Amino acid sequence: MVQAYISGTGFYVPPRVVTNDDLIHTYGVETTNEWIVQRTGIEARRFADEGVGTSDMAVKAARDALVAAQLEPHDLDLIVVATLSPEHAFPGSGVFLQQKLGLCDGESAKFVPALDVRNQCSGFLYALSTAVAHVRAGMARHVLVCGAETHSAALDLSTDGRTVSSLFGDGAGAVIVSASDRDDRGVRGVYLGADGRFAEVLCQKIWDIRKRPFIPKNPDRSGTVAPEMLWATMDGKLVFKHAVGTMLGALMRACTAHKIGVEDIDLFLFHQANMRINQFIAQQLHVPDEKIPHNIQRYGNTTAATIPIAYDECRRAGRIKPGNLVCFFGLGAGFHWGAALLRE
């Protein structure tokens, strides 16, 4: 049976560092560094410059992943981009990434399929599942999976929006999912779920397509979006409550499917939404700190990019060894959630 394994990883974050104190002094947000750190663990995040979009960051992460996999863009058979912040309402960022990789240029152009996955904080896991399915079915040998977000353009960087805007940052992570005949390595399984009862607990409505027109039109034909539609909103306490229970359930499902215990997993890569959630789950599982890396303190919540960024950092730092069993898992808006097990 064909196996799907991760042959290369890469990540990119913008050079501009925005600290908690910058939120206070540059943007006038009424908060404190201590308040943010105590509740989230976040000390800083990265913001992209004007003119930089999601695919601009994704292409940098993708090129690093291709180098690590010893592949060229033309070796790819499919591109999957997980993002909630594409350049436009449509088309998705996948086709922009395809073009920026040079796949549309010259006589050797290769018009590989490109798609976007819109599952927010669990987007990378949903995208990974798509890539693994294509490889196992023989439909592709090398799939590029990117999680990339440009949050900074759509944050209410004011005191009114501080509950949400203090959490998020920009960045991109990428992996190459490749085919292998070896049974001793690769993605063992991806386990996904969703619960639409909580679809509006964490959301950014931006427009209501049921209305005619979907954005109210002014006499000069410009549109006006009300603040409650424009900015993201969140019931933080409810998200915390469901994140803990649902993530634990997803992990147990994965372990049960493979008849292993939590102690058999060498490294846990949690979605980096809130360090306090991750620490609480670790305590419930009795997992030692050295098995759970955190980078939210440096990058904030980069949504679909958090897991691949952390994965690449751990690989390059030597924290992941051949033969290690690694677990990805997380929960986000929707609610969507997932867990994945892979053998290095």
Side-chain angles (χ1 to χ4, degrees), residues 117-127 129 190-199 239 241-254 271 281 307 328-340:
V117 169
R118 295 290 303 275
N119 291 87
Q120 296 72 248
C121 295
S122 299
F124 175 74
L125 291 164
Y126 274 75
S129 178
V190 185
Y191 307 90
L192 307 173
D195 188 342
R197 294 175 299 173
F198 302 99
V239 171
K241 174 184 174 182
H242 280 271
V244 171
T246 305
M247 288 170 69
L248 285 170
L251 176 60
M252 291 301 102
R253 181 184 170 196
H271 165 53
I281 293 173
I307 292 174
F328 303 153
F329 71 117
L331 171 140
F335 289 141
H336 299 95
W337 62 84

Short mmCIF file of all heavy atoms in Angstrom, two decimals, residues 117-127 129 190-199 239 241-254 271 281 307 328-340:
data_model
loop_
_atom_site.label_atom_id
_atom_site.label_comp_id
_atom_site.label_asym_id
_atom_site.label_seq_id
_atom_site.Cartn_x
_atom_site.Cartn_y
_atom_site.Cartn_z
N VAL A 117 -8.71 25.51 1.37
CA VAL A 117 -9.47 24.88 2.45
C VAL A 117 -9.80 25.96 3.46
O VAL A 117 -8.92 26.69 3.91
CB VAL A 117 -8.66 23.74 3.11
CG1 VAL A 117 -9.32 23.26 4.38
CG2 VAL A 117 -8.48 22.58 2.13
N ARG A 118 -11.08 26.08 3.80
CA ARG A 118 -11.53 27.15 4.69
C ARG A 118 -12.03 26.57 6.01
O ARG A 118 -13.22 26.55 6.29
CB ARG A 118 -12.64 27.96 4.01
CG ARG A 118 -12.21 28.73 2.77
CD ARG A 118 -11.31 29.90 3.11
NE ARG A 118 -11.96 30.81 4.03
CZ ARG A 118 -12.79 31.78 3.64
NH1 ARG A 118 -13.07 31.96 2.38
NH2 ARG A 118 -13.35 32.58 4.55
N ASN A 119 -11.12 26.05 6.80
CA ASN A 119 -11.50 25.48 8.09
C ASN A 119 -10.76 26.14 9.24
O ASN A 119 -10.53 25.51 10.28
CB ASN A 119 -11.26 23.97 8.10
CG ASN A 119 -12.22 23.24 7.18
OD1 ASN A 119 -11.96 23.10 6.00
ND2 ASN A 119 -13.35 22.80 7.72
N GLN A 120 -10.36 27.39 9.03
CA GLN A 120 -9.81 28.23 10.08
C GLN A 120 -8.67 27.55 10.84
O GLN A 120 -7.73 27.06 10.26
CB GLN A 120 -10.93 28.70 11.02
CG GLN A 120 -11.96 29.59 10.37
CD GLN A 120 -12.87 28.84 9.41
OE1 GLN A 120 -12.80 29.07 8.21
NE2 GLN A 120 -13.76 27.97 9.92
N CYS A 121 -8.75 27.50 12.16
CA CYS A 121 -7.65 27.00 12.98
C CYS A 121 -7.35 25.52 12.75
O CYS A 121 -6.25 25.05 13.05
CB CYS A 121 -7.91 27.26 14.45
SG CYS A 121 -7.98 29.01 14.86
N SER A 122 -8.33 24.77 12.25
CA SER A 122 -8.10 23.37 11.91
C SER A 122 -7.81 23.19 10.43
O SER A 122 -7.75 22.05 9.94
CB SER A 122 -9.33 22.53 12.29
OG SER A 122 -9.57 22.59 13.68
N GLY A 123 -7.63 24.28 9.72
CA GLY A 123 -7.46 24.22 8.27
C GLY A 123 -6.29 23.36 7.83
O GLY A 123 -6.39 22.62 6.84
N PHE A 124 -5.17 23.44 8.56
CA PHE A 124 -4.02 22.64 8.15
C PHE A 124 -4.32 21.16 8.26
O PHE A 124 -3.92 20.37 7.40
CB PHE A 124 -2.79 22.99 9.00
CG PHE A 124 -1.61 22.10 8.71
CD1 PHE A 124 -0.88 22.26 7.55
CD2 PHE A 124 -1.24 21.09 9.59
CE1 PHE A 124 0.20 21.43 7.26
CE2 PHE A 124 -0.17 20.26 9.31
CZ PHE A 124 0.55 20.43 8.15
N LEU A 125 -5.04 20.75 9.29
CA LEU A 125 -5.37 19.34 9.45
C LEU A 125 -6.32 18.86 8.37
O LEU A 125 -6.18 17.75 7.84
CB LEU A 125 -5.96 19.10 10.84
CG LEU A 125 -4.97 19.27 11.99
CD1 LEU A 125 -5.69 19.40 13.32
CD2 LEU A 125 -3.99 18.11 12.03
N TYR A 126 -7.29 19.68 8.01
CA TYR A 126 -8.19 19.33 6.90
C TYR A 126 -7.42 19.27 5.58
O TYR A 126 -7.66 18.40 4.74
CB TYR A 126 -9.32 20.35 6.81
CG TYR A 126 -10.50 20.04 7.72
CD1 TYR A 126 -10.42 20.27 9.10
CD2 TYR A 126 -11.67 19.52 7.21
CE1 TYR A 126 -11.50 19.98 9.94
CE2 TYR A 126 -12.76 19.24 8.03
CZ TYR A 126 -12.67 19.47 9.40
OH TYR A 126 -13.73 19.18 10.22
N ALA A 127 -6.50 20.21 5.36
CA ALA A 127 -5.70 20.21 4.14
C ALA A 127 -4.78 19.00 4.09
O ALA A 127 -4.59 18.38 3.04
CB ALA A 127 -4.88 21.50 4.07
N SER A 129 -5.33 16.12 5.48
CA SER A 129 -6.17 14.97 5.18
C SER A 129 -6.43 14.86 3.69
O SER A 129 -6.39 13.76 3.11
CB SER A 129 -7.50 15.09 5.94
OG SER A 129 -8.36 14.01 5.63
N VAL A 190 -5.59 10.78 9.98
CA VAL A 190 -6.08 12.12 10.31
C VAL A 190 -7.54 11.97 10.72
O VAL A 190 -8.33 11.36 10.00
CB VAL A 190 -5.95 13.09 9.13
CG1 VAL A 190 -6.34 14.50 9.57
CG2 VAL A 190 -4.52 13.10 8.57
N TYR A 191 -7.90 12.54 11.86
CA TYR A 191 -9.23 12.34 12.44
C TYR A 191 -9.88 13.70 12.65
O TYR A 191 -9.40 14.51 13.44
CB TYR A 191 -9.11 11.56 13.76
CG TYR A 191 -8.33 10.28 13.55
CD1 TYR A 191 -6.94 10.26 13.71
CD2 TYR A 191 -8.97 9.12 13.12
CE1 TYR A 191 -6.22 9.10 13.46
CE2 TYR A 191 -8.25 7.96 12.87
CZ TYR A 191 -6.88 7.96 13.04
OH TYR A 191 -6.15 6.81 12.79
N LEU A 192 -10.97 13.95 11.91
CA LEU A 192 -11.57 15.27 11.84
C LEU A 192 -12.98 15.27 12.40
O LEU A 192 -13.65 14.23 12.44
CB LEU A 192 -11.60 15.75 10.39
CG LEU A 192 -10.28 15.72 9.63
CD1 LEU A 192 -10.52 16.06 8.16
CD2 LEU A 192 -9.27 16.68 10.25
N GLY A 193 -13.46 16.45 12.79
CA GLY A 193 -14.83 16.60 13.25
C GLY A 193 -15.27 18.05 13.19
O GLY A 193 -14.46 18.96 13.00
N ALA A 194 -16.58 18.26 13.33
CA ALA A 194 -17.13 19.61 13.32
C ALA A 194 -18.45 19.62 14.08
O ALA A 194 -19.14 18.60 14.18
CB ALA A 194 -17.34 20.09 11.88
N ASP A 195 -18.79 20.79 14.61
CA ASP A 195 -20.05 20.95 15.34
C ASP A 195 -20.61 22.33 15.01
O ASP A 195 -20.23 23.34 15.61
CB ASP A 195 -19.82 20.81 16.84
CG ASP A 195 -21.12 20.78 17.64
OD1 ASP A 195 -22.16 21.20 17.09
OD2 ASP A 195 -21.10 20.34 18.80
N GLY A 196 -21.53 22.37 14.04
CA GLY A 196 -22.08 23.63 13.56
C GLY A 196 -22.97 24.36 14.54
O GLY A 196 -23.34 25.51 14.30
N ARG A 197 -23.29 23.73 15.67
CA ARG A 197 -24.08 24.44 16.69
C ARG A 197 -23.35 25.67 17.22
O ARG A 197 -23.98 26.59 17.75
CB ARG A 197 -24.41 23.50 17.84
CG ARG A 197 -25.35 22.34 17.48
CD ARG A 197 -25.53 21.41 18.66
NE ARG A 197 -24.26 20.82 19.08
CZ ARG A 197 -24.11 20.07 20.17
NH1 ARG A 197 -25.16 19.85 20.96
NH2 ARG A 197 -22.93 19.55 20.48
N PHE A 198 -22.03 25.67 17.09
CA PHE A 198 -21.22 26.76 17.64
C PHE A 198 -20.59 27.62 16.53
O PHE A 198 -19.56 28.25 16.73
CB PHE A 198 -20.14 26.19 18.55
CG PHE A 198 -20.69 25.36 19.67
CD1 PHE A 198 -20.74 23.98 19.59
CD2 PHE A 198 -21.20 25.97 20.81
CE1 PHE A 198 -21.26 23.22 20.62
CE2 PHE A 198 -21.73 25.22 21.84
CZ PHE A 198 -21.77 23.84 21.75
N ALA A 199 -21.24 27.63 15.36
CA ALA A 199 -20.66 28.32 14.21
C ALA A 199 -20.46 29.81 14.44
O ALA A 199 -19.56 30.41 13.86
CB ALA A 199 -21.54 28.09 12.98
N VAL A 239 -15.16 29.07 23.96
CA VAL A 239 -14.12 28.46 23.12
C VAL A 239 -13.16 27.65 23.98
O VAL A 239 -12.81 26.51 23.64
CB VAL A 239 -13.35 29.54 22.33
CG1 VAL A 239 -12.14 28.92 21.62
CG2 VAL A 239 -14.26 30.20 21.30
N LYS A 241 -13.69 26.28 26.93
CA LYS A 241 -14.37 25.09 27.45
C LYS A 241 -14.43 23.99 26.41
O LYS A 241 -14.10 22.82 26.69
CB LYS A 241 -15.78 25.48 27.90
CG LYS A 241 -16.64 24.30 28.33
CD LYS A 241 -18.06 24.76 28.67
CE LYS A 241 -18.96 23.58 28.96
NZ LYS A 241 -20.36 24.02 29.25
N HIS A 242 -14.84 24.32 25.20
CA HIS A 242 -15.00 23.29 24.18
C HIS A 242 -13.65 22.86 23.60
O HIS A 242 -13.50 21.71 23.18
CB HIS A 242 -15.93 23.78 23.08
CG HIS A 242 -17.37 23.68 23.45
ND1 HIS A 242 -18.13 22.56 23.21
CD2 HIS A 242 -18.18 24.55 24.11
CE1 HIS A 242 -19.35 22.74 23.67
NE2 HIS A 242 -19.41 23.95 24.23
N ALA A 243 -12.69 23.74 23.57
CA ALA A 243 -11.37 23.37 23.07
C ALA A 243 -10.77 22.25 23.90
O ALA A 243 -10.23 21.27 23.37
CB ALA A 243 -10.44 24.58 23.06
N VAL A 244 -10.88 22.36 25.21
CA VAL A 244 -10.30 21.36 26.10
C VAL A 244 -10.95 20.00 25.88
O VAL A 244 -10.28 18.99 25.60
CB VAL A 244 -10.42 21.80 27.57
CG1 VAL A 244 -10.02 20.65 28.50
CG2 VAL A 244 -9.57 23.03 27.84
N GLY A 245 -12.27 19.94 25.99
CA GLY A 245 -12.96 18.66 25.87
C GLY A 245 -12.84 18.05 24.48
O GLY A 245 -12.60 16.84 24.34
N THR A 246 -12.98 18.87 23.45
CA THR A 246 -12.97 18.36 22.08
C THR A 246 -11.58 17.91 21.66
O THR A 246 -11.42 16.88 21.00
CB THR A 246 -13.51 19.42 21.12
OG1 THR A 246 -14.81 19.85 21.56
CG2 THR A 246 -13.63 18.86 19.72
N MET A 247 -10.55 18.67 22.03
CA MET A 247 -9.19 18.28 21.67
C MET A 247 -8.79 16.99 22.36
O MET A 247 -8.15 16.11 21.76
CB MET A 247 -8.22 19.42 21.98
CG MET A 247 -8.36 20.59 21.02
SD MET A 247 -7.43 22.06 21.53
CE MET A 247 -5.75 21.53 21.31
N LEU A 248 -9.19 16.85 23.61
CA LEU A 248 -8.91 15.60 24.32
C LEU A 248 -9.62 14.42 23.64
O LEU A 248 -9.05 13.35 23.47
CB LEU A 248 -9.35 15.71 25.78
CG LEU A 248 -8.45 16.56 26.69
CD1 LEU A 248 -9.14 16.78 28.03
CD2 LEU A 248 -7.10 15.90 26.89
N GLY A 249 -10.85 14.66 23.22
CA GLY A 249 -11.59 13.60 22.54
C GLY A 249 -10.97 13.21 21.22
O GLY A 249 -10.90 12.02 20.87
N ALA A 250 -10.50 14.19 20.44
CA ALA A 250 -9.87 13.91 19.15
C ALA A 250 -8.58 13.11 19.35
O ALA A 250 -8.29 12.18 18.59
CB ALA A 250 -9.58 15.22 18.42
N LEU A 251 -7.83 13.48 20.37
CA LEU A 251 -6.59 12.75 20.64
C LEU A 251 -6.88 11.31 21.05
O LEU A 251 -6.22 10.37 20.58
CB LEU A 251 -5.80 13.46 21.74
CG LEU A 251 -4.52 12.75 22.20
CD1 LEU A 251 -3.54 12.59 21.05
CD2 LEU A 251 -3.87 13.52 23.34
N MET A 252 -7.87 11.12 21.91
CA MET A 252 -8.21 9.77 22.34
C MET A 252 -8.70 8.92 21.17
O MET A 252 -8.40 7.73 21.08
CB MET A 252 -9.28 9.82 23.42
CG MET A 252 -8.81 10.41 24.75
SD MET A 252 -7.42 9.49 25.48
CE MET A 252 -6.04 10.57 25.05
N ARG A 253 -9.43 9.53 20.25
CA ARG A 253 -9.89 8.82 19.06
C ARG A 253 -8.71 8.32 18.24
O ARG A 253 -8.69 7.19 17.77
CB ARG A 253 -10.78 9.74 18.22
CG ARG A 253 -11.33 9.09 16.95
CD ARG A 253 -12.11 10.11 16.14
NE ARG A 253 -12.44 9.59 14.82
CZ ARG A 253 -12.84 10.34 13.82
NH1 ARG A 253 -12.96 11.65 13.97
NH2 ARG A 253 -13.12 9.80 12.64
N ALA A 254 -7.72 9.19 18.05
CA ALA A 254 -6.53 8.81 17.28
C ALA A 254 -5.76 7.69 17.98
O ALA A 254 -5.32 6.72 17.33
CB ALA A 254 -5.63 10.02 17.07
N HIS A 271 -2.27 23.13 18.13
CA HIS A 271 -2.56 24.42 17.51
C HIS A 271 -2.26 25.52 18.52
O HIS A 271 -2.66 25.42 19.70
CB HIS A 271 -4.03 24.47 17.08
CG HIS A 271 -4.50 25.84 16.75
ND1 HIS A 271 -3.86 26.65 15.85
CD2 HIS A 271 -5.57 26.56 17.22
CE1 HIS A 271 -4.49 27.81 15.78
NE2 HIS A 271 -5.53 27.78 16.60
N ILE A 281 -4.51 21.22 28.91
CA ILE A 281 -4.67 19.90 28.30
C ILE A 281 -3.49 19.00 28.64
O ILE A 281 -3.66 17.82 28.96
CB ILE A 281 -4.84 20.03 26.78
CG1 ILE A 281 -6.17 20.72 26.46
CG2 ILE A 281 -4.78 18.66 26.09
CD1 ILE A 281 -6.35 21.05 24.99
N ILE A 307 0.45 25.01 13.22
CA ILE A 307 1.02 23.66 13.31
C ILE A 307 2.19 23.47 12.36
O ILE A 307 3.25 22.99 12.78
CB ILE A 307 -0.08 22.60 13.10
CG1 ILE A 307 -1.06 22.62 14.29
CG2 ILE A 307 0.53 21.21 12.95
CD1 ILE A 307 -2.26 21.71 14.12
N PHE A 328 -0.37 15.92 15.82
CA PHE A 328 -0.90 17.27 15.60
C PHE A 328 -2.34 17.28 16.10
O PHE A 328 -3.08 16.34 15.84
CB PHE A 328 -0.96 17.62 14.11
CG PHE A 328 0.33 17.55 13.34
CD1 PHE A 328 0.31 17.28 11.98
CD2 PHE A 328 1.55 17.75 13.95
CE1 PHE A 328 1.48 17.24 11.25
CE2 PHE A 328 2.73 17.71 13.23
CZ PHE A 328 2.69 17.45 11.86
N PHE A 329 -2.75 18.34 16.77
CA PHE A 329 -4.18 18.47 16.99
C PHE A 329 -4.57 19.87 17.44
O PHE A 329 -3.74 20.64 17.92
CB PHE A 329 -4.74 17.39 17.93
CG PHE A 329 -4.38 17.47 19.38
CD1 PHE A 329 -5.36 17.66 20.34
CD2 PHE A 329 -3.07 17.27 19.82
CE1 PHE A 329 -5.06 17.67 21.69
CE2 PHE A 329 -2.76 17.27 21.17
CZ PHE A 329 -3.77 17.48 22.11
N GLY A 330 -5.86 20.18 17.18
CA GLY A 330 -6.35 21.49 17.53
C GLY A 330 -7.82 21.66 17.21
O GLY A 330 -8.45 20.78 16.63
N LEU A 331 -8.35 22.83 17.61
CA LEU A 331 -9.75 23.17 17.40
C LEU A 331 -9.84 24.63 17.04
O LEU A 331 -9.03 25.44 17.49
CB LEU A 331 -10.56 22.88 18.66
CG LEU A 331 -12.02 23.38 18.66
CD1 LEU A 331 -12.93 22.37 19.32
CD2 LEU A 331 -12.13 24.73 19.43
N GLY A 332 -10.84 24.97 16.22
CA GLY A 332 -11.03 26.37 15.88
C GLY A 332 -12.46 26.67 15.49
O GLY A 332 -13.37 25.85 15.70
N ALA A 333 -12.64 27.85 14.90
CA ALA A 333 -13.96 28.34 14.55
C ALA A 333 -14.72 27.31 13.73
O ALA A 333 -14.16 26.58 12.92
CB ALA A 333 -13.83 29.65 13.77
N GLY A 334 -16.03 27.28 14.01
CA GLY A 334 -16.86 26.35 13.25
C GLY A 334 -17.90 25.60 14.09
O GLY A 334 -19.03 25.57 13.71
N PHE A 335 -17.58 24.98 15.19
CA PHE A 335 -16.24 24.51 15.55
C PHE A 335 -15.80 23.40 14.61
O PHE A 335 -16.58 22.51 14.29
CB PHE A 335 -16.25 23.96 16.98
CG PHE A 335 -16.39 24.98 18.06
CD1 PHE A 335 -17.16 24.72 19.18
CD2 PHE A 335 -15.74 26.21 17.99
CE1 PHE A 335 -17.28 25.66 20.22
CE2 PHE A 335 -15.85 27.13 19.02
CZ PHE A 335 -16.63 26.85 20.12
N HIS A 336 -14.54 23.45 14.19
CA HIS A 336 -13.88 22.36 13.50
C HIS A 336 -12.72 21.89 14.37
O HIS A 336 -12.11 22.69 15.08
CB HIS A 336 -13.29 22.80 12.15
CG HIS A 336 -14.30 23.32 11.18
ND1 HIS A 336 -14.57 24.67 11.05
CD2 HIS A 336 -15.08 22.69 10.27
CE1 HIS A 336 -15.50 24.84 10.10
NE2 HIS A 336 -15.81 23.66 9.62
N TRP A 337 -12.41 20.61 14.29
CA TRP A 337 -11.26 20.11 15.04
C TRP A 337 -10.64 18.93 14.31
O TRP A 337 -11.21 18.38 13.36
CB TRP A 337 -11.66 19.71 16.46
CG TRP A 337 -12.66 18.59 16.54
CD1 TRP A 337 -12.42 17.24 16.50
CD2 TRP A 337 -14.09 18.71 16.67
NE1 TRP A 337 -13.59 16.52 16.61
CE2 TRP A 337 -14.64 17.41 16.71
CE3 TRP A 337 -14.96 19.80 16.76
CZ2 TRP A 337 -16.00 17.17 16.82
CZ3 TRP A 337 -16.32 19.58 16.88
CH2 TRP A 337 -16.81 18.26 16.92
N GLY A 338 -9.47 18.54 14.78
CA GLY A 338 -8.82 17.39 14.18
C GLY A 338 -7.58 16.98 14.93
O GLY A 338 -7.04 17.74 15.75
N ALA A 339 -7.15 15.77 14.65
CA ALA A 339 -5.90 15.23 15.19
C ALA A 339 -5.26 14.39 14.10
O ALA A 339 -5.96 13.80 13.26
CB ALA A 339 -6.15 14.39 16.44
N ALA A 340 -3.96 14.34 14.09
CA ALA A 340 -3.22 13.52 13.12
C ALA A 340 -2.05 12.87 13.81
O ALA A 340 -1.41 13.48 14.69
CB ALA A 340 -2.73 14.36 11.94
#
